[in-house]
Amino acid sequence: MGLTKTYKDGTTPTICIIGAGFSGMCAAIRLQTQLDLKTYTIFELEPELGGTWWSNTYPGCACDVKSINYQFSFEPNYEWSRTYAGQQEIWEYQRRVAKKHSLYEKIRFRTEVTHAEWHEDLQQWVLDWINHNTGETGQMNADIVFSGMGPLRIPQIPKQFDDFEGPKWHTAQWNHDYDLTNKRVAVVGSGASSIQVVPAIVDKVERLEFYQRSATYIVPRKNASNSALWKFLFKYIPFVHFIYYKLTYWSNEFIIRVFSTEWQHVLTRHVAMLLAWSYRFYQIRDKQLRAKLTPNYILGCRRIVVSSDYYPALVRKNVSVHTATITDVKGKTLTLNDGSQQEVDALVLATGFHVQDILAEGFVIGKNKCDLFKVWGQDPKTYYGITAAETPNMFFLLGPNTGLGHNSVLFMIETACEYAIMAISHMMDKNLSSIQATPQACKDFVDEVEEKMKGMVWSSDCKSWYQNEQGKVTALWWSTCTHYWWRLRRFRPQHFAAVQRGSKNFAAAIPIATH
């Protein structure tokens, strides 16, 4: 059965999309291509689209998912230069796709949505916005809102570095005006960003002081160039690109077993641990350094990083690896709890993001005037990370419990978009002004995730950005991408309540009939 593309009176809903990264782009394109709907506006805080791939321009920035899987399934790119694409190439892909679908015409750049509030009497969201170029402010009424802001957008900058008197910046806010040549540079943090930054700048700096907060499991990355022959085969020979895409996808799906603590996956976990151990052993011959770089937590409870140049960079003579805690920062000197001090010219903070602080206080005011920040806190209760009982007609893309540790998040974004499209089509078909997930449907999802996470390494004692302050995993999906798609392949009206268009009774949304 096809999708309903208009209400019975021929109208279509007015839609606001917050964010012009992969999530916002996917929402806009699918609205156009599947519902023939163009009554939408995209608000983007930055001066360009791209989201994380526009903001993060640090040296060495690249995707740790293979390029062939890090693209929209409906917009294949046959021209990826390497197995793992760099930031610039990914951003250029985004721009090409946006131009193809005329998205630039629908984006309001440097315009931030500062407040979104559901008005029951209007059956609409009222959004306040400000243009940071002109200072102009205004409001937009929207029937439906897509939130595509993404979880990795607010840099986490520890207060202890406020007193550093030299140039300093977060990796997501790279200072390209400062020349690192022959400078003494400190890099704080040992996650994916720093593991890419360190090899990219080690040849340029005079001295690199690397402050490792915790060791990371590293597996080698074979980043081969895609030859002209491969590109030709992908583009012109039927099914070659599709088959390679599927083989890569399914090999990634298999990796989910690495993160399981169930007995039937013990062998897979041990193979992965052996790979990481042997790679570290052969790359780092110095026993003391190798001990510093050996994680003291279970494999997979924090992100496993793919890199073939990180270990070689750390054995360079101009690099010092510190595992002691930074206790004091004065002037340009960093003091550690082992008593040592290092004076540096510049400070690079690879200290991660505020993943758990999903929403600012007062940003989203939902049904019955509830502040989503207060209702959720660090324990969001959603329906498959896509929508919530408190937010009628609002869809989250890459929302809570939809992140991954084994495959491409673009698959999750597309799946969430497809479900939202089905929901909007259902609204138009049944002449509904609003739909919302029922509290029970949200509770069932959250309870299941919590129970399933008990069998995954992410719920172990080691702290990570996957967990909230209580140790509950709120960032990741517990199973395969395929399982997520299977659950959401059809719209399930029994999990939603609705209000009919023209109704004056907004006191309680009525459960949607399933017949």
Side-chain angles (χ1 to χ4, degrees):
M1 186 176 177
L3 295 169
T4 300
K5 300 181 180 181
T6 66
Y7 282 109
K8 291 179 173 59
D9 60 5
T11 61
T12 57
T14 300
I15 298 176
C16 169
I17 301 173
I18 306 174
F22 270 120
S23 293
M25 289 175 61
C26 186
I29 293 169
R30 297 321 258 170
L31 286 170
Q32 289 183 182
T33 58
Q34 294 189 290
L35 294 180
D36 297 330
L37 194 154
K38 295 185 179 180
T39 50
Y40 68 85
T41 301
I42 305 174
F43 289 90
E44 172 54 51
L45 173 61
E46 304 295 347
E48 251 293 356
L49 59 73
T52 189
W53 297 109
W54 186 89
S55 300
N56 287 269
T57 59
Y58 59 81
C61 183
C63 187
D64 58 2
V65 174
K66 290 183 178 180
S67 308
I68 196 164
N69 278 120
Y70 203 79
Q71 59 185 351
F72 291 132
S73 64
F74 49 84
E75 285 294 343
N77 179 20
Y78 307 113
E79 301 293 331
W80 292 118
S81 63
R82 309 189 70 84
T83 304
Y84 296 89
Q87 173 267 334
Q88 184 68 26
E89 191 172 8
I90 295 172
W91 182 58
E92 289 172 355
Y93 165 76
Q94 290 177 300
R95 293 191 70 197
R96 287 198 304 274
V97 172
K99 289 176 181 177
K100 176 180 176 180
H101 292 277
S102 303
L103 298 190
Y104 276 96
E105 302 168 10
K106 308 292 287 186
I107 303 174
R108 302 183 66 170
F109 289 111
R110 294 294 291 143
T111 304
E112 178 185 9
V113 174
T114 58
H115 180 76
E117 184 168 345
W118 175 254
H119 287 246
E120 196 73 27
D121 55 336
L122 300 176
Q123 287 289 285
Q124 286 184 321
W125 288 93
V126 178
L127 302 105
D128 298 329
W129 55 264
I130 179 171
N131 184 299
H132 288 283
N133 282 340
T134 65
E136 180 188 3
T137 60
Q139 285 188 332
M140 175 185 177
N141 286 35
D143 301 305
I144 294 165
V145 174
F146 280 87
S147 173
M149 295 183 291
L152 303 178
R153 70 183 189 278
I154 306 173
Q156 182 168 274
I157 302 176
K159 292 288 186 182
Q160 71 177 131
F161 299 110
D162 289 350
D163 294 332
F164 184 78
E165 294 180 358
K168 64 178 181 286
W169 59 86
H170 192 277
T171 51
Q173 302 163 334
W174 194 267
N175 182 359
H176 290 280
D177 294 329
Y178 186 81
D179 187 3
L180 296 176
T181 304
N182 297 324
K183 297 295 195 301
R184 298 166 300 173
V185 179
V187 177
V188 180
S190 49
S193 297
S194 66
I195 289 169
Q196 294 180 342
V197 166
V198 169
I201 67 174
V202 69
D203 288 332
K204 180 179 289 190
V205 304
E206 175 189 318
R207 186 87 200 150
L208 196 152
E209 306 289 349
F210 179 56
Y211 299 90
Q212 176 184 269
R213 298 196 292 179
S214 63
T216 302
Y217 281 100
I218 309 289
V219 294
R221 180 181 74 164
K222 296 181 179 179
N223 196 16
S225 298
N226 289 332
S227 66
L229 175 60
W230 268 113
K231 294 176 184 179
F232 175 85
L233 293 174
F234 284 159
K235 191 170 185 177
Y236 295 108
I237 306 302
F239 302 114
V240 171
H241 183 273
F242 177 79
I243 292 171
Y244 186 55
Y245 169 83
K246 287 298 182 182
L247 287 173
T248 306
Y249 170 83
W250 284 108
S251 65
N252 288 342
E253 288 287 78
F254 180 80
I255 296 173
I256 191 67
R257 300 175 180 218
V258 171
F259 303 97
S260 170
T261 57
E262 303 293 336
W263 66 267
Q264 61 267 37
H265 299 140
V266 169
L267 179 60
T268 306
R269 286 187 51 76
H270 278 74
V271 169
M273 291 176 66
L274 179 62
L275 174 62
W277 176 88
S278 60
Y279 180 59
R280 183 170 59 249
F281 181 84
Y282 285 109
Q283 288 287 325
I284 309 295
R285 305 308 296 172
D286 182 277
K287 291 183 179 179
Q288 288 186 330
L289 180 57
R290 190 163 67 240
K292 289 182 178 181
L293 300 174
T294 300
N296 60 0
Y297 54 85
I298 188 171
L299 174 77
C301 78
R302 295 174 185 160
R303 190 165 185 85
I304 300 171
V305 180
V306 291
S307 175
S308 291
D309 50 12
Y310 175 63
Y311 286 152
L314 295 184
V315 300
R316 298 288 294 274
K317 292 182 178 180
N318 65 331
V319 177
S320 294
V321 178
H322 305 280
T323 56
T325 303
I326 299 171
T327 57
D328 190 40
V329 180
K330 287 184 179 179
K332 293 185 178 181
T333 301
L334 281 65
T335 302
L336 311 185
N337 65 356
D338 61 4
S340 65
Q341 292 184 326
Q342 299 82 40
E343 185 176 356
V344 296
D345 300 307
L347 176 63
V348 176
L349 300 173
T351 45
F353 298 85
H354 289 280
V355 177
Q356 293 298 328
D357 301 325
I358 301 171
L359 299 168
E361 185 173 358
F363 178 63
V364 175
I365 305 299
K367 195 175 177 66
N368 299 322
K369 302 299 181 183
C370 71
D371 185 339
L372 211 57
F373 172 85
K374 295 178 180 178
V375 173
W376 281 6
Q378 289 193 347
D379 188 16
K381 293 176 174 59
T382 69
Y383 180 76
Y384 287 91
I386 300 174
T387 190
E390 301 84 5
T391 56
N393 292 9
M394 179 176 279
F395 300 102
F396 307 103
L397 303 177
L398 209 57
N401 287 117
T402 61
L404 299 173
H406 73 289
N407 214 331
S408 172
V409 294
L410 265 64
F411 184 95
M412 304 295 278
I413 291 171
E414 285 192 36
T415 303
C417 275
E418 296 293 333
Y419 199 80
I421 293 296
M422 288 188 286
I424 295 169
S425 175
H426 181 87
M427 287 175 62
M428 292 188 289
D429 183 55
K430 302 299 181 182
N431 203 38
L432 306 175
S433 61
S434 68
I435 61 168
Q436 65 191 65
T438 65
Q440 187 62 47
C442 295
K443 182 180 184 300
D444 290 345
F445 171 71
V446 172
D447 289 348
E448 182 192 30
V449 169
E450 188 170 7
E451 181 63 30
K452 295 294 186 180
M453 282 295 177
K454 293 177 181 178
M456 308 301 288
V457 296
W458 304 309
S459 292
S460 63
D461 292 335
C462 84
K463 290 294 294 180
S464 71
W465 60 264
Y466 302 149
Q467 303 171 340
N468 62 17
E469 292 178 357
Q470 289 71 46
K472 183 177 179 179
V473 180
T474 60
L476 299 183
W477 169 240
W478 61 270
S479 186
T480 62
C481 294
T482 307
H483 193 172
Y484 188 76
W485 167 83
W486 181 257
R487 292 281 189 90
L488 299 174
R489 70 193 186 279
R490 292 194 303 268
F491 179 68
R492 300 179 184 275
Q494 66 269 29
H495 294 164
F496 290 82
V499 173
Q500 284 285 333
R501 293 180 88 191
S503 173
K504 300 298 182 181
N505 180 18
F506 306 128
I510 302 170
I512 299 176
T514 57
H515 58 272

